[in-house]
Amino acid sequence: RLAQRGEFTKRAFLNGKRSLSAAEGMAEMINAESDAQVRAGFLLYGEKLTREGKRLQTLLTECLAGIDADIDYPEEDLTADTREDVRRRLEEVKAGLSALLKQYRAGKKIASGVNVAICGRPNAGKSSLLNALLGYDRAIVSPVAGTTRDIVEGTIEINGVLFRLTDTAGLREGADEIEREGISRAERAISAADVVICLKDGELPVSLPDVPIINVISKSDLGARGECDVLVSSATGEGLDELKRLLYEKGFGQENDGAYLMEERHFEACRKAYASVERALDSLSMPAEIYALEIKNAWDELGELSGETATEAIIDEIFAKFCVGK
């Protein structure tokens, strides 16, 4: 018969040679659009996330072993010591899960790119700036106010991370019906952005979202000056390198070689495990059977990372992303 999608990687998973997260890392590398996606996929493939998940599972297993001993041998009166030991291990698990959850935002940006909205009033130089950052003419540039009426997009890599740039319609009051639709789309793009480049040329008629804002004064070659984060000239290239540095710093941060949560299911598994650990800590004064159940739930959720407790539907969905033969 013909090979199915991801057949050989799936066999490695089913035979215990690779974890489910490692298989996802392989898929990330195959479908990567940037160097950062390749590196992050390689970290997944190298089992970093799986090893951290198993470490936390081991701590939970030790908690359950102590609780079982307490329940089986009540005459030994170990309850107080056991609960303190369980509390210490649960706090360690909670800290580990918190660190993983903090990596989700960076992992998501690596996987799908950093969304950047370029906004400002009409004729502020947004389209020229987009073209300058891309290195080619993507957007129409004209001295006529309101030329850009729809979303214009392009992508660049900065230090291996993909940035998705969006040129938006000029923001102003009193526009015609078509331009108002463009402004409405611009507002949606701005609200969905991870970082906003705001071209300073008068007050904007909209409020900006609670994300990093880079204030730019364009047309520095024409003598434009003022208070801002960076002065830029799309014509001469002045300030573009500094703008890219700020984009990387504010839009992504700092890459590391740790375990990234790149998939929604990784995040959900860690979030649910974290919630179960918190409930277990809150119920330590109750009978052991109650918090033991929460600890077991957390163990099962962490098993989603390696594939130990993943359902067949999840496994099929993951390997459907592969090309034939991998």
Side-chain angles (χ1 to χ4, degrees):
R1 64 175 175 78
L2 295 175
Q4 298 175 354
R5 287 180 175 272
E7 172 130 359
F8 299 106
T9 307
K10 188 174 184 178
R11 287 186 186 185
F13 163 67
L14 294 174
N15 288 313
K17 303 295 185 183
R18 284 287 171 188
S19 71
L20 197 57
S21 292
E24 287 172 293
M26 170 74 80
E28 289 289 344
M29 287 190 285
I30 291 171
N31 299 314
E33 296 181 68
S34 68
D35 290 344
Q37 286 176 310
V38 174
R39 292 194 295 270
F42 183 74
L43 290 175
L44 267 182
Y45 182 73
E47 307 280 12
K48 276 187 174 289
L49 181 59
T50 300
R51 283 198 295 273
E52 178 60 10
K54 286 186 176 295
R55 182 184 76 84
L56 299 179
Q57 278 185 303
T58 298
L59 289 169
L60 294 174
T61 300
E62 290 169 354
C63 289
L64 292 171
I67 293 168
D68 285 346
D70 232 12
I71 293 172
D72 292 342
Y73 303 101
E75 69 278 2
E76 297 294 335
D77 196 25
L78 301 173
T79 301
D81 291 339
T82 300
R83 285 187 178 177
E84 190 53 42
D85 196 45
V86 167
R87 183 186 300 278
R88 178 179 58 81
R89 285 188 168 90
L90 287 178
E91 290 289 358
E92 186 175 349
V93 173
K94 183 180 176 180
L97 287 169
S98 178
L100 283 175
L101 289 169
K102 287 176 182 176
Q103 291 286 68
Y104 177 65
R105 189 174 181 183
K108 194 69 174 173
K109 289 177 180 178
I110 289 175
S112 58
V114 180
N115 293 317
V116 181
I118 304 174
C119 72
R121 295 182 65 81
N123 268 355
K126 301 180 298 301
S127 298
S128 295
L129 180 58
L130 174 70
N131 291 342
L133 287 169
L134 295 178
Y136 64 92
D137 290 342
R138 177 70 179 86
I140 298 172
V141 176
S142 165
V144 178
T147 298
T148 301
R149 297 194 171 199
D150 203 350
I151 298 299
V152 181
E153 298 176 325
T155 60
I156 59 171
E157 273 193 38
I158 305 175
N159 297 334
V161 177
L162 192 69
F163 284 74
R164 300 186 183 277
L165 308 179
T166 301
D167 177 23
T168 63
L171 303 171
R172 65 173 173 177
E173 303 286 358
D176 61 40
E177 184 178 351
I178 296 175
E179 193 176 347
R180 280 199 300 273
E181 176 58 28
I183 292 172
S184 177
R185 295 185 183 190
E187 291 172 350
R188 290 197 293 271
I190 292 168
S191 66
D194 298 308
V195 59
V196 173
I197 297 176
C198 180
L199 272 66
K200 302 289 283 184
D201 186 20
E203 291 298 319
L204 295 179
V206 299
S207 58
L208 297 178
D210 185 22
V211 298
I213 309 292
I214 302 175
N215 291 304
V216 173
I217 289 183
S218 186
K219 307 177 184 180
S220 64
D221 55 306
L222 299 179
R225 293 292 184 271
E227 187 176 342
C228 63
D229 295 313
V230 58
L231 280 168
V232 169
S233 168
S234 301
T236 67
E238 178 191 351
L240 289 181
D241 288 341
E242 175 64 11
L243 177 56
K244 289 178 181 179
R245 185 191 69 79
L246 288 172
L247 272 175
Y248 185 83
E249 180 184 297
K250 293 178 178 289
F252 181 72
Q254 186 172 1
E255 194 174 350
N256 59 57
D257 61 354
Y260 285 104
L261 299 184
M262 297 181 64
E263 302 288 341
E264 184 71 23
R265 75 173 197 89
H266 297 163
F267 174 76
E268 280 301 310
C270 288
R271 184 187 64 78
K272 290 177 181 177
Y274 185 90
S276 292
V277 168
E278 279 199 316
R279 287 194 294 269
L281 283 167
D282 290 341
S283 59
L284 282 178
S285 59
M286 301 179 186
E289 290 84 354
I290 294 176
Y291 55 83
L293 180 61
E294 293 294 351
I295 293 172
K296 180 63 170 62
N297 288 339
W299 192 99
D300 288 340
E301 291 297 341
L302 285 171
E304 290 273 346
L305 301 181
S306 63
E308 291 172 285
T309 58
T311 65
E312 188 173 343
I314 289 174
I315 294 169
D316 289 342
E317 181 183 343
I318 288 169
F319 285 100
K321 299 176 183 177
F322 279 73
C323 54
V324 173
K326 285 293 182 216

